[in-house]
Amino acid sequence: MSIIEAFKKTITFIDEIKNEGIIDDYALIGGLALSAWIRPRTTKDIDLVVVVSKDMKWKHIASIIETRLHKKIAVMKGTQRTHIKEKLSFVSGQIEVDIISTKGFDLAAESIKNAVIAEVFGKHVKVAIPEYLILLKLLPLSSQDAVDIKALVKKTDIKKLKALAQKHYLLPRLESIVRL
């Protein structure tokens, strides 16, 4: 299964559980989200942030995915470094899908609230705006993240980016990568 097929299948499923009230909202982040803003690059995964409905527990989300998609789920606890508290992963075709909860992760929750609808591989999906993609990439900050940030910064409102980076205590890290 190609990344396009895996993406379409994943988004269709996420839309279904959103319509059922299992999750309240979601947005695309990571490498695929970049394609809505800059020249697409190769990526090996699909990254989503989700707002879990208040009556739903993370383990139930994992169980629903496992049951309905017939996928083995890896449920992980997050790390202090990335601010992620709850994350699960599964493989669709040969593509890894990472779903990150907004629980205790204000930056991710804000990224969903401020996301816009874009067309990605023929599907209309909420995509984090460049300012939030940059801030989310500052947390793990791999060498690829630094390259992505430098490309994305050209698509941002610099004043807004600086204010958000300051708010989330990421301004020094941002300024270590790009001149603002």
Side-chain angles (χ1 to χ4, degrees), residues 102-168:
T102 57
K103 179 182 176 185
F105 192 3
D106 293 341
L107 178 58
E110 277 182 43
S111 74
I112 293 173
K113 285 180 187 161
N114 291 281
V116 297
I117 303 290
E119 188 173 321
V120 180
F121 296 139
K123 295 288 278 181
H124 288 90
V125 60
K126 278 181 88 172
V127 177
I129 62 173
E131 292 84 356
Y132 284 98
L133 286 173
I134 288 170
L135 297 181
L136 289 166
K137 287 185 160 295
L138 284 170
L139 298 174
L141 197 56
S142 70
S143 58
Q144 183 61 60
D145 291 329
V147 169
D148 292 343
I149 289 167
K150 288 174 184 174
L152 269 174
V153 80
K154 297 170 188 159
K155 300 289 184 178
T156 64
D157 172 336
I158 296 296
K159 200 172 180 179
K160 180 177 182 176
L161 177 60
K162 284 177 83 171
L164 287 169
Q166 184 75 36
K167 174 184 176 183
H168 291 283

Side-chain angles (χ1 to χ4, degrees), residues 22-27 49-53 100-103 108-109 112:
I22 295 167
I23 64 170
D24 290 334
D25 208 356
Y26 73 95
V49 287
V50 301
V51 178
V52 178
S53 297
I100 300 164
S101 170
T102 57
K103 179 182 176 185
I112 293 173

Side-chain angles (χ1 to χ4, degrees), residues 1-10 46 95 121-123:
M1 178 183 311
S2 73
I3 191 161
I4 296 170
E5 293 168 314
F7 175 78
K8 287 180 177 180
K9 188 175 182 176
T10 300
I46 299 167
I95 307 301
F121 296 139
K123 295 288 278 181

Side-chain angles (χ1 to χ4, degrees), residues 80-99:
Q80 281 293 99
R81 186 175 63 90
T82 61
H83 302 267
I84 296 169
K85 305 271 187 269
E86 299 173 323
K87 175 183 172 181
L88 59 83
S89 298
F90 62 93
V91 176
S92 181
Q94 296 180 356
I95 307 301
E96 183 172 317
V97 178
D98 295 323
I99 300 178

